[in-house]
RNA sequence: GCGGGGAUUGCCGAGCGGUCAAAGGCGCUGGACUUAGGAUCCAGUCCUUAGUGGUUCGGGAGUUCGAAUCUCCCUCCCCGCACCA
């Protein structure tokens, strides 16, 4: 067994070398052949790929190889994505001697390098970002070729190449001309230290904290003309229940002039607001206690409420000013109770205790399961003792928020909002406050978080951020039109696309960090096109990159008019040639190449790209290209898991592609990945199950080897069993071909490969008594078709067998024949099925009676039963089965009316199982010939028992137990003696 | 929360209105081959039974001559949600 694996591993390397040497997968324009252009999304070059990726790329390769063997000129190129922050992040961490990163990279590099010195040398080189990308790009291609992928490697590029940048600039100039790029303000997470946007990777424990941007409503409580205390809240609807304002007495506050007003907010809040797109000047600093016992005006209600001290106020959260709603907010409830009995504090700050004691909760929301004051109730229930009881108060706040938000209704004291659900009232109150300019949005991270550099994370508002406006109605409509024309498999994902399209709106398309193409309209300002927005029409770039490199075209020559000419047939070749210095001949070749290959016939990727990349690609194609170049088809597959956990680069459960050829075998892995589950399920990789694929592969190999030296020139007369055998294999192969045409790789392998191995097994069993020469000839005949048909899935083994069968050509380039199924084949298949069932029945009876029969009597039904079933089939195609109808029709039939008594019994049976007459039936003659064909097999199975065939309408029939009347067209009656 | 997907026989995983007691694999049981086998091969694997019949496809109701497959409700699980590629 080990030797078999060794043997095919050797074979795999042998053929990969030959394919490379003869460059058989390099694709060139050939107008005499139809073309087929496949892309699989390019990988990100910061780590080696693992076997989960091999699922996606392996499916792509099966498609590419199938189309190639169907006579298409196939282009399947590969590039690399390096845009964004990951490459820089790796480089930065290596430079800073981040121990974890070093270990991770050493692990990765050890797949490819054998000495520690060499590994460390490679890792050290990663201080240069381009070395990271280059190293992994090279290794990934090496891994891909090691998996036997039929890639055109002459069209490689990375998204960081200056030529590519020119292409993206052109794309964005078109989008801009079509007014699809808009500007607006945009809140993002921001490090105060780096003065830069941060992503999850940059945040300490970012993956666990899951920090998001929260939008608070900063409500302005008027203190004096144009002077406001600003309290930020997530629950603006509670403004009707405000009884006072809370300030931390010991904390520092600022008086600031902001957008023409004067605000009082905490010192920390001032720093945050500075980043949120306001005109701010700090006028003075004051202590919280200086503000106590003054009165401010509540917006909308106009009531005057006092400012009181509370230590639960966190000045580093939002504005450090809180308005108090003791009826519905647990913290406020606890704090007001605390303060009312806290004589010390009252006298310390000289508060008017009369007014303070008069403060009572206001009820403004009706909630099921609660009384007047939900906050008071829940504080009592949880046993909250003071405002310092933080855990309990936090829990209480969460509970109340949820209950009130989903089932609360606004009470009669809430002005225009009476009767509204809290869910709606919340937004309406906020809108009103914004409209009357008594509120401003204030942004705050959902969780307190810090950057890896140590700086605090706040929310900054980017002014005039650039967005791609996917919400543009014309664009969206066009994109939907494109989507509706597409073939998507598995089909269930179409709905996901439709939902994504509906939901897509403005999306920021530039960033300040990471690698990529500089945004062409703000050169020098450091804006880089966002990394998902620069990889949506690059399939077109594959068609011309080889010519750009071969002709040494410089980036600066790649002016927009060149792309306009090549991709959109705009402008004159003469002018374009003049302005770019690219020869007319080269321009023509580029244009020709694009027009030959485009559109991108199939794009295959992993499912998780639906909500971004794959949807964007449809939008951008619709915006940039004429309709004939839109994307025709998507094919998708889910990811892979091991031990129930998704295989991801950072986890220890990965099997790198680099180890596949030696740990398993390439063909074995390709076969297993494509056939173990349908693409829409997360595939669980189990070692024990790989073994199954290996055994079958070996079996196929051995079957094939046993007939490689058989010559097909001598005509062998096939007996019944051999004819049935060949017909069965052909039927399966035909199904396989039909499946792969729809890109159902699993069905293709199951039908074309696994089912057929089983058919061969059965043939060997049933046909043991046939002459050796006949068996070999029949096997050879089907192996030959199987090898060529299954080559897309197991190309290496197929090449080897093809060679050993005496062929000099590449099977990878050999035409897969169309399988013609004629009536004779259909009959054979039905007869085979008939006999399998019959033999099973005999086996079952033998097992039950536990004695081996000496005689097997088989009773074939009388002809009129076939007529009856045929008749029933026609009547009840799509109406309810009724005995009366059967009887009436039978009476009218010349053939049947004489058996009317028997038919009544038979009809009762039909009624019990209405599926009976939907089955394809064999007539008596075909049943008999089938039994005769298998007679020797059945006989030998039971120590040469005698096989007797009876026709049920034979007058002299031997039928002591009256079995014959039970016989039916696909189920003969049996008597064992 | 919003949006989407799913629940199949010991497990994984097909099936998606009628050859469905439900492919295939794993596991388990028996047999063969073996010095041995955690290697391989063959057979069996819901209950019952001369090839039959019965009860099954998360739970409940419905549509239909007929439902694992369609509709509705319930329970539970998974995934995406914007600067992260």
């Amino acid at each position: 067994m080990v030797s078999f694996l060794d043997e095919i591993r050797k074979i795999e390397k042998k053929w990969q070398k030959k394919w490379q040497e003869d460059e058989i997968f390099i694709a060139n324009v050939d107008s005499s052949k139809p073309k087929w252009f496949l892309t699989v999304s390019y990988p990100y070059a910061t780590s080696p790929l693992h076997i989960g990726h091999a699922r996606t790329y392996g499916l792509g390769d099966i498609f590419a190889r199938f189309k190639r063997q169907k006579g298409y000129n196939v282009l399947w190129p590969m590039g690399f994505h390096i845009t964004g922050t990951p490459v820089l992040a790796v480089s930065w961490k290596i430079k800073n001697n981040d121990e974890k990163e070093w270990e991770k990279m050493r692990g990765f590099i050890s797949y490819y390098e054998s000495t520690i010195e060499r590994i460390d040398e490679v890792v050290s080189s990663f201080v240069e970002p381009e070395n990271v990308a280059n190293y992994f790009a090279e290794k990934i291609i090496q891994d891909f070729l090691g998996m036997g992928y039929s890639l055109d490697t002459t069209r490689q590029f990375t998204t960081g190449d200056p030529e590519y940048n020119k292409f993206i600039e052109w794309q964005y100039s078109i989008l801009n001309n079509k007014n699809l790029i808009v500007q607006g303000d945009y809140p993002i997470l921001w490090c105060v230290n780096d003065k830069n946007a941060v992503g999850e990777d940059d945040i300490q424990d970012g993956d666990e904290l899951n920090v998001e941007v929260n939008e608070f409503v900063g409500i302005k409580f008027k203190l004096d003309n144009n002077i406001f205390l600003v309290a930020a809240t997530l629950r603006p609807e509670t403004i009707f229940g405000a009884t006072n304002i809370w300030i931390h007495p010991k904390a520092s506050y600022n008086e600031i002039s902001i957008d023409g007003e004067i605000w009082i907010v905490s010192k920390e809040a001032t720093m945050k607001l500075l980043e949120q797109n306001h005109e701010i000047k700090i006028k003075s600093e004051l202590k919280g206690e200086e503000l106590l016992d003054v009165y401010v005006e509540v917006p909308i209600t106009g009531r005057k409420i006092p400012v009181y001290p509370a230590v639960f106020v966190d000045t580093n959260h939002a504005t450090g000013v809180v308005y108090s709603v003791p009826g519905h907010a647990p913290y406020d409830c606890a704090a007001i109770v605390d303060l009312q009995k806290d004589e010390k504090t009252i006298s310390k700050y000289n508060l008017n205790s009369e007014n303070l004691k008069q403060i009572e909760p206001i009820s403004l929301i009706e909630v099921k399961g609660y009384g007047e004051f939900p906050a008071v109730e829940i504080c009592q229930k949880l046993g909250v003792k003071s405002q310092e009881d933080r855990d309990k108060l936090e829990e209480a706040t969460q509970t109340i928020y949820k209950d009130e938000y989903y089932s609360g209704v606004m009470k009669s004291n809430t002005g225009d909002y009476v009767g509204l659900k809290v869910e709606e009232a919340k937004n309406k109150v906020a809108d009103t406050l914004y409209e009357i300019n008594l509120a401003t949005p204030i942004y705050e991270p959902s969780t307190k978080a810090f950057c890896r550099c140590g700086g605090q994370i706040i929310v900054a508002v980017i002014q005039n951020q650039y967005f791609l406006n996917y919400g543009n109605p014309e664009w969206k409509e066009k994109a939907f039109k494109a989507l509706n024309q597409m073939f998507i498999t598995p089909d269930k994902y179409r709905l996901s696309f439709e939902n994504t399209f509906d939901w897509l709106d403005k999306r920021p398309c530039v960033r300040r960090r990471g690698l990529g193409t500089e945004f062409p309209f703000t050169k020098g300002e450091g804006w880089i096109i966002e990394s998902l927005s620069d990889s949506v029409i690059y399939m077109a770039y594959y068609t011309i990159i080889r010519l750009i490199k071969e002709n040494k075209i410089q980036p600066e020559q790649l002016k927009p008019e060149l792309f306009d000419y090549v991709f959109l047939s705009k402008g004159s070749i003469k002018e374009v040639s003049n302005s770019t210095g690219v020869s007319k001949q080269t321009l023509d070749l580029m244009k020709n190449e694009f027009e030959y290959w485009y559109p991108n016939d199939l794009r295959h990727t992993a499912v998780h790209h639906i909500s971004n990349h794959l949807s964007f690609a449809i939008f951008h194609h619709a915006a940039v290209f004429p309709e004939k170049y839109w994307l025709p088809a998507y094919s998708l597959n889910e990811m892979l898991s091991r031990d129930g956990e998704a295989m991801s680069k950072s986890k220890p459960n990965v099997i790198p592609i680099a180890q596949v050829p030696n740990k398993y075998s390439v063909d074995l892995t390709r076969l297993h990945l494509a056939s173990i589950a349908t693409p829409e399920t997360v595939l669980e990789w189990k070692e024990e199950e790989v073994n199954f694929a290996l055994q079958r592969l070996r079996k196929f190999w051995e079957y094939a080897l046993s007939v490689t030296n058989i010559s097909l020139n001598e005509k062998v007369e096939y007996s019944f069993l051999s004819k049935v055998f060949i017909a069965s294999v052909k039927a399966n192969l035909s199904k396989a071909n039909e499946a792969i045409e729809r890109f159902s790789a699993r069905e293709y392998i199951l039908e074309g490969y696994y089912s057929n191995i089983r058919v061969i097994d059965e043939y060997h069993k049933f046909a043991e008594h046939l002459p050796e020469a006949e068996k070999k000839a029949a096997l050879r005949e089907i192996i030959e078709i199987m090898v060529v048909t299954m080559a897309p899935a197991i190309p290496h083994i197929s090449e080897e067998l093809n060679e050993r069968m005496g062929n000099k050509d590449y099977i990878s380039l050999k035409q897969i024949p169309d399988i013609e199924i004629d009536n004779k084949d259909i009959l054979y298949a039905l007869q085979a099925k008939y006999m399998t069932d019959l033999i099973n029945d005999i086996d079952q009876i033998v097992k039950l009676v536990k004695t081996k029969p000496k005689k097997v009597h088989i009773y074939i039904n009388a002809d009129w039963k076939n007529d009856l079933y045929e008749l029933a089939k026609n009547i009840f195609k799509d109406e309810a089965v009724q005995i009366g109808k059967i009887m009436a029709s039978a009476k009218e039939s010349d053939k049947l009316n004489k058996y009317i008594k028997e038919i009544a019994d038979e009809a009762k049976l039909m009624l019990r199982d209405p599926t009976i007459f939907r089955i394809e039936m064999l007539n008596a003659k075909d049943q008999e010939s089938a039994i005769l064909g298998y007679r020797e097999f059945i006989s030998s199975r039971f120590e040469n028992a005698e096989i007797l065939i009876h026709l049920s309408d034979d007058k002299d029939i031997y039928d002591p137990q009256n079995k014959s009347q039970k016989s039916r067209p696909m189920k003969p009656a049996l008597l064992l003696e």
Side-chain angles (χ1 to χ4, degrees):
Chain A
M1 194 205 85
V2 173
S3 65
F4 167 65
L5 262 181
D6 285 345
E7 190 174 6
I8 58 171
R9 284 170 186 155
K10 237 179 262 165
I11 288 167
E12 285 162 358
K13 296 208 171 70
K14 164 181 162 187
W15 288 100
Q16 285 168 10
K17 194 161 164 249
K18 280 176 177 272
W19 293 334
Q20 289 309 304
E21 281 168 4
D22 289 348
E23 301 188 335
I24 64 170
F25 303 128
I26 309 294
N28 296 304
V29 171
D30 176 356
S31 48
S32 71
K33 276 169 110 186
K35 64 90 188 180
W36 197 73
F37 178 21
L38 167 74
T39 60
V40 183
S41 48
Y42 45 24
Y44 207 93
T46 45
S47 69
L49 301 192
H50 57 71
I51 203 163
H53 299 104
R55 185 186 193 190
T56 307
Y57 294 99
L59 285 171
D61 189 52
I62 290 176
F63 303 151
R65 285 176 174 275
F66 173 72
K67 284 291 180 181
R68 198 177 286 114
Q69 285 189 253
K70 272 287 173 189
Y72 289 87
N73 187 18
V74 170
L75 169 61
W76 182 25
M78 191 57 66
F80 292 92
H81 200 199
I82 66 163
T83 313
T85 49
V87 170
L88 288 182
V90 168
S91 188
W92 186 83
K93 285 181 200 165
I94 292 301
K95 201 183 289 172
N96 287 283
N97 283 315
D98 178 315
E99 200 46 44
K100 259 165 114 182
E101 192 66 18
W102 263 86
E103 275 320 299
K104 193 165 125 192
M105 285 300 144
R106 278 191 181 117
F108 287 161
I109 309 303
S110 68
Y111 304 153
Y112 306 105
E113 315 289 349
S114 43
T115 68
I116 295 175
E117 292 74 35
R118 175 61 190 148
I119 291 171
D120 279 359
E121 188 187 327
V122 173
V123 180
S124 305
S125 76
F126 286 178
V127 296
E128 289 302 329
E130 61 172 301
N131 289 343
V132 178
N134 289 343
Y135 184 82
F136 287 116
E138 188 200 321
K139 294 305 173 191
I140 289 169
I141 283 288
Q142 184 182 312
D143 286 350
F144 280 172
L145 296 177
M147 287 299 291
Y149 298 159
S150 55
L151 292 168
D152 179 342
T153 50
T154 63
R155 297 167 190 262
Q156 284 179 55
F157 65 88
T158 82
T159 55
D161 298 346
E163 298 87 355
Y164 187 78
N165 299 153
K166 291 291 173 188
F167 170 66
I168 298 301
E169 279 184 26
W170 170 76
Q171 175 193 350
Y172 274 77
S173 70
I174 288 187
L175 297 173
N176 194 39
N177 290 341
K178 300 200 170 177
N179 293 321
L180 298 176
I181 299 174
V182 295
Q183 280 180 282
D185 291 349
Y186 191 68
I188 49 154
L189 295 174
W190 182 267
C191 170
V192 292
N193 201 11
D194 292 343
K195 294 263 172 216
N196 216 337
V198 289
E200 191 180 282
D201 273 355
D202 308 302
I203 299 170
Q204 289 178 27
D205 303 317
D207 47 338
E208 282 160 33
L209 288 176
N210 190 22
V211 188
E212 289 168 51
V213 172
N214 277 350
E215 183 181 326
F216 284 75
V217 182
I219 303 182
K220 304 173 193 172
F221 293 81
K222 194 195 248 176
L223 175 64
D224 198 350
N225 191 27
N226 212 32
I227 303 180
F228 302 92
L229 271 169
V230 179
T233 180
L234 288 170
R235 303 191 55 188
E237 80 281 5
T238 59
I239 192 80
F240 297 100
T243 58
N244 62 289
I245 299 282
W246 297 118
I247 287 283
H248 198 296
K250 296 290 172 207
S252 300
Y253 286 78
N254 281 140
E255 196 181 4
I256 58 175
S257 98
I258 173 167
D259 307 335
E261 297 171 342
I262 310 286
W263 289 10
I264 295 170
V265 293
S266 75
K267 205 174 163 188
E268 294 92 330
T270 308
M271 304 321 289
K272 294 181 198 167
L273 287 169
L274 280 169
E275 300 292 352
Q276 295 190 2
N277 194 17
H278 298 285
E279 292 268 326
I280 290 180
K281 259 194 210 134
I282 301 173
K283 296 185 60 138
S284 66
E285 188 172 327
L286 61 160
K287 279 269 171 279
E289 57 194 2
E290 295 174 49
L291 294 160
L292 298 178
D293 224 12
V294 300
Y295 276 72
V296 296
E297 185 182 314
V298 180
I300 301 180
T301 68
R303 286 182 32 239
K304 300 274 191 183
I305 57 171
V307 177
Y308 288 140
V311 291
F312 79 86
V313 171
D314 179 358
T315 51
N316 197 15
H317 185 255
T319 56
V321 177
V322 178
Y323 73 84
S324 170
V325 187
H328 297 274
Y331 273 108
D332 300 336
C333 171
I336 199 78
V337 171
D338 283 358
L339 185 63
Q340 281 171 341
K341 25 180 218 208
D342 186 355
E343 294 297 339
K344 233 169 109 187
T345 304
I346 293 173
S347 64
K348 179 174 172 192
Y349 296 122
N350 199 17
L351 304 176
N352 180 326
S353 69
E354 272 316 299
N355 290 348
L356 172 60
K357 290 208 168 107
Q358 276 170 22
I359 292 207
E360 279 182 358
I362 299 171
S363 175
L364 72 137
I365 295 169
E366 177 95 53
V367 207
K368 240 191 276 162
Y370 293 93
E372 276 287 281
F373 306 114
V376 180
E377 269 176 51
I378 198 161
C379 284
Q380 279 165 1
K381 199 170 132 205
L382 293 174
V384 172
K385 292 198 185 63
S386 79
Q387 60 185 299
E388 309 271 12
D389 226 348
R390 297 210 170 226
D391 289 347
K392 283 180 184 163
L393 283 167
E394 208 45 56
E395 187 193 335
T397 304
Q398 293 296 328
T399 309
I400 293 273
Y401 183 87
K402 268 206 183 121
D403 290 346
E404 293 193 341
Y405 186 79
Y406 296 112
S407 52
V409 176
M410 303 300 282
K411 284 191 174 174
S412 60
N413 55 348
T414 57
D416 296 343
Y417 310 95
V418 179
L420 286 182
K421 289 160 96 178
V422 168
E423 216 174 327
E424 301 165 57
K426 181 183 150 172
N427 292 328
K428 292 204 164 157
V429 173
D431 289 346
T432 307
L433 288 168
Y434 290 146
E435 264 166 45
I436 59 177
N437 196 25
L438 283 174
T440 305
I442 290 175
Y443 300 96
E444 183 77 7
S446 58
T447 317
K448 213 171 233 182
F450 293 90
C451 182
R452 287 194 196 280
C453 77
Q456 193 190 343
I457 306 280
I458 63 161
V459 176
V461 173
I462 307 291
Q463 296 178 54
N464 298 323
Q465 165 79 304
Y466 287 89
F467 296 82
L468 283 170
N469 188 9
Y470 292 111
N472 178 310
E474 282 159 50
W475 196 10
K476 203 167 253 202
E477 194 183 320
K478 233 174 164 184
F480 262 111
K481 186 179 173 198
L483 175 65
N484 291 336
Q485 296 168 3
M486 288 179 76
F487 172 79
I488 290 172
T489 182
D491 187 57
K492 73 170 196 178
Y493 293 120
R494 180 177 297 279
L495 190 62
S496 311
F497 278 105
E498 286 169 1
N499 289 319
T500 303
F501 278 33
D502 281 335
W503 158 83
L504 272 173
D505 196 9
K506 295 188 185 69
R507 184 189 162 96
C509 61
V510 292
R511 287 185 211 162
R512 282 217 190 270
R513 323 179 316 131
L515 302 173
T517 301
E518 190 173 10
F519 194 57
F521 313 113
T522 55
K523 289 254 176 169
E525 291 177 28
W527 287 107
I528 304 295
I529 291 174
E530 183 271 324
S531 61
L532 282 173
S533 305
D534 76 348
S535 56
V536 287
I537 61 164
Y538 72 93
M539 309 74 156
Y541 187 72
Y542 280 128
T543 65
I544 58 165
I545 176 59
R546 189 165 79 194
L547 285 166
I548 292 175
K549 285 188 177 160
E550 276 175 1
N551 293 286
K552 302 196 168 56
I553 300 174
Q554 296 306 303
E556 56 275 17
Q557 292 178 281
L558 294 169
K559 294 180 177 168
E561 55 264 36
L562 180 143
F563 294 115
D564 277 344
Y565 178 73
V566 171
F567 293 137
L568 305 176
S569 299
K570 276 191 191 159
S572 82
I573 187 166
K574 202 173 148 201
E575 282 168 25
V576 174
S577 179
N578 281 342
S579 80
T580 60
V582 177
S583 75
K584 279 195 228 168
Q585 192 201 0
T586 305
L587 285 171
D588 256 346
L589 283 173
M590 289 168 87
K591 188 165 191 285
N592 193 26
E593 187 103 10
F594 171 74
E595 289 175 356
Y596 177 74
W597 291 115
Y598 234 63
N600 175 193
D601 298 280
L602 178 70
R603 181 153 182 79
H604 181 82
T605 75
V607 167
H608 68 268
H609 290 128
I610 290 177
S611 65
N612 45 56
H613 167 81
L614 288 167
S615 290
F616 300 164
I618 296 172
F619 271 85
H620 285 246
H621 271 79
V624 174
F625 295 110
E627 195 170 328
K628 63 177 172 176
Y629 293 137
W630 292 356
L631 293 159
Y634 277 162
S635 158
L636 306 144
N637 68 268
E638 258 295 353
M639 297 312 295
L640 184 142
S641 70
R642 199 178 182 198
D643 306 321
E645 226 186 331
M647 222 181 251
S648 95
K649 293 167 186 174
S650 55
K651 290 181 188 147
N653 63 346
V654 294
I655 301 166
I657 291 182
Q659 291 173 359
V660 163
N662 292 323
K663 188 174 162 71
Y664 306 99
S665 125
V666 175
D667 277 354
L668 172 66
T669 306
R670 294 170 61 105
L671 201 58
H672 189 63
L673 282 173
S675 65
I676 193 70
T678 45
E680 68 265 33
T681 51
V682 176
L683 192 158
E684 176 78 9
W685 181 266
K686 291 183 180 167
E687 298 293 332
E688 319 85 66
E689 290 182 355
V690 184
N691 194 40
F692 158 77
L694 175 63
Q695 297 319 322
R696 289 308 143 104
L697 198 59
R698 190 177 64 145
K699 201 165 202 179
F700 177 65
W701 174 249
E702 284 167 357
Y703 276 140
L705 281 190
S706 72
V707 293
T708 46
N709 54 356
I710 301 294
S711 158
L712 279 180
N713 294 333
E714 292 167 48
K715 265 285 165 215
V716 179
E717 196 61 41
Y718 287 140
S719 55
F720 180 77
L721 283 177
S722 299
K723 287 180 192 164
V724 167
F725 166 58
I726 292 169
S728 303
V729 172
K730 274 167 67 184
N732 288 335
L733 286 176
S734 161
K735 280 186 225 159
N737 273 335
E738 185 264 325
I740 192 68
E741 287 283 2
R742 314 186 306 260
F743 307 115
S744 294
R746 179 177 203 266
E747 209 180 324
Y748 154 73
I749 292 170
L750 254 39
E751 294 291 352
Y753 178 75
Y754 286 114
S755 296
N756 278 336
I757 291 173
R758 227 165 280 129
V759 171
I760 301 173
D761 283 344
E762 288 207 326
Y763 176 63
H764 280 118
K765 199 167 81 182
F766 295 144
E768 209 186 343
H769 60 284
L770 291 185
E772 211 48 34
E774 177 185 344
K775 285 192 283 184
K776 290 239 164 163
L779 183 58
R780 163 73 193 221
E781 189 172 330
I782 70 99
I783 286 286
E784 186 133 339
I785 331 175
M786 270 185 79
V787 166
V788 68
T789 307
M790 300 318 295
I794 44 171
H796 308 85
I797 283 182
S798 299
E799 288 287 5
E800 182 71 15
L801 289 171
N802 185 54
E803 187 183 65
R804 294 198 193 185
M805 284 190 287
N807 299 308
K808 301 268 180 257
D809 54 353
Y810 278 116
I811 204 152
S812 298
L813 304 176
K814 199 164 180 162
Q815 188 90 8
I816 294 175
D818 291 326
I819 308 280
E820 307 257 333
I821 304 284
D822 57 23
N823 287 338
K824 200 90 184 134
D825 293 318
I826 294 169
L827 177 63
Y828 285 140
L830 196 55
Q831 285 178 307
K833 155 84 177 139
Y834 173 81
M835 288 312 297
T836 314
D837 290 349
L838 176 58
I839 290 165
N840 274 340
D841 280 351
I842 298 172
D843 281 352
Q844 220 173 113
I845 298 169
V846 168
K847 204 183 300 154
L848 286 168
V849 299
K850 292 189 182 94
T851 48
K852 293 222 166 157
K854 294 205 172 58
K855 285 182 179 173
V856 177
H857 297 275
I858 302 172
Y859 299 93
I860 295 172
N861 64 282
D863 276 337
W864 64 263
K865 285 198 185 176
N866 282 75
D867 297 336
L868 175 65
Y869 282 100
E870 204 52 42
L871 176 120
K873 196 175 182 175
N874 289 330
I875 307 178
F876 303 121
K877 266 204 175 89
D878 29 43
E879 55 180 308
V881 180
Q882 287 170 32
I883 285 198
K885 276 191 191 163
I886 300 176
M887 300 306 292
S889 307
K891 272 180 199 152
E892 279 168 30
S893 156
D894 294 342
K895 282 190 212 159
L896 291 172
N897 56 20
K898 49 192 144 174
Y899 302 105
I900 213 74
K901 241 171 135 182
E902 292 91 331
I903 287 173
D905 293 336
E906 199 69 25
K908 274 181 214 154
L909 271 176
M910 287 183 174
L911 214 60
R912 270 173 54 191
D913 180 10
T915 61
I916 284 181
F917 53 80
R918 295 186 166 267
I919 302 167
E920 287 301 316
M921 304 283 182
L922 285 175
N923 62 30
K925 197 178 112 254
D926 293 331
Q927 291 185 50
E928 188 173 6
S929 71
I931 299 166
L932 287 172
Y934 285 78
R935 189 184 211 158
E936 289 203 47
F937 167 75
I938 303 171
S939 173
S940 67
R941 200 174 173 83
F942 305 111
E943 289 150 17
N944 298 316
E946 195 179 346
I947 309 299
L948 298 130
I949 304 169
H950 308 279
L951 296 173
S952 296
D953 48 3
D954 185 345
K955 285 189 195 99
D956 305 321
I957 193 168
Y958 170 80
D959 188 8
Q961 293 190 25
N962 230 350
K963 295 277 186 191
S964 65
Q965 55 177 279
K966 281 192 178 172
S967 59
R968 292 206 309 261
M970 276 307 271
K971 202 164 180 64
L974 291 167
L975 174 66
L976 309 194
E977 291 184 322

